Amino acid sequence: MFLLPHKPRSILLTLYSVNLFLLGCCVQDAAGDDHPAGVRLQAGQASDGSLWINGNGGRIRRDIPYTARTNAPQTADMYLPTDHAEAGYPIVIVVHGGAWRAGDKWNISRFSFELAKMGIASLAINYRLAPEHRFPAQMDDLRDALCWVADNAVKYDLAPQRIGMFGYSAGAHMACLLGTLNDQPIAQQRLASAWAADDPRWRKLPSVRAIVAGAPPCDFREMPADNQTLAYFLGGSRKQFPQRYAAASPASFVSAGDVPTLYVHGDRDLIVPYSSSRQLFQRQQDAGVCSEYLTLSGGGHISTYLSPQLKRAVVQYLHFQLTK
């Protein structure tokens, strides 16, 4: 993993981290204005400090607190369709990228607008960032978002039995890891969590029905043993923390009970190699998981993120999986 011909591996690993950081900082500017005309027509303040916005693009509630922590609380944006759903809206957790150290929920908002047009709600989350908060803090924030959906399903007319996830790059890694841990016993899941075994949130966690993962890094067990590139996220090198590197790798937990996943990856990605997600997909195929794979020919890491093919794949796959 993270190895290309004729380049020193340590240089590539550094470029991987730097470029993912830049992706989280700049990709929104490259994508242009994601807000459809009219979404700021009406606004109002909610009692919890969040902001309601109504317009042609749907109903948006900004900056909803979704974690109960007083230390490093996190917020999310809720996107709701304008049409009423008799059985509740399917709901997608949307997870931004940025090397686990940068980025924001607004980076990825255009996908939420498109989902709302198809009658699907979404919750775009912020999560704790490295190096101040190292793995597995990010995973527990993702779990907290799922618990929030379960707790607030009636309030927002959500269908908690029809939950999907979409993430890109680092966000896709988080979605994939939760997806491969899906059917594992709590003892295994706790390898990627700081929650205690008797934490009541384990019993509250709803199931995820489908995932779209864009360009995810999937196996840190192949990192050079002494390399410190991911120390800001994983606390040190693989030699120092082999179990942590394994626990952070979606490929460590492949089984027949994994969440069906659509992988979307450009075959010219120089930041997260195409082979990373391809190998995880193949292992899931061998295990009998109904995952799918979309290769964007000639696509790089950022060009794939900005491509209309990715947006179309996200909406079509999740609509099919969550409404069938």
Side-chain angles (χ1 to χ4, degrees), residues 213-235:
C218 299
D219 197 345
F220 303 124
R221 298 172 300 177
E222 298 182 7
M223 294 283 287
D226 292 314
N227 191 279
Q228 295 284 334
T229 300
L230 293 181
Y232 71 90
F233 176 52
L234 296 174

Side-chain angles (χ1 to χ4, degrees), residues 82-106:
T82 54
D83 295 335
H84 177 67
E86 291 293 337
Y89 302 113
I91 172 75
V92 175
I93 309 294
V94 179
V95 193
H96 70 78
W100 310 278
R101 71 190 303 173
D104 191 273
K105 51 188 168 56
W106 54 260

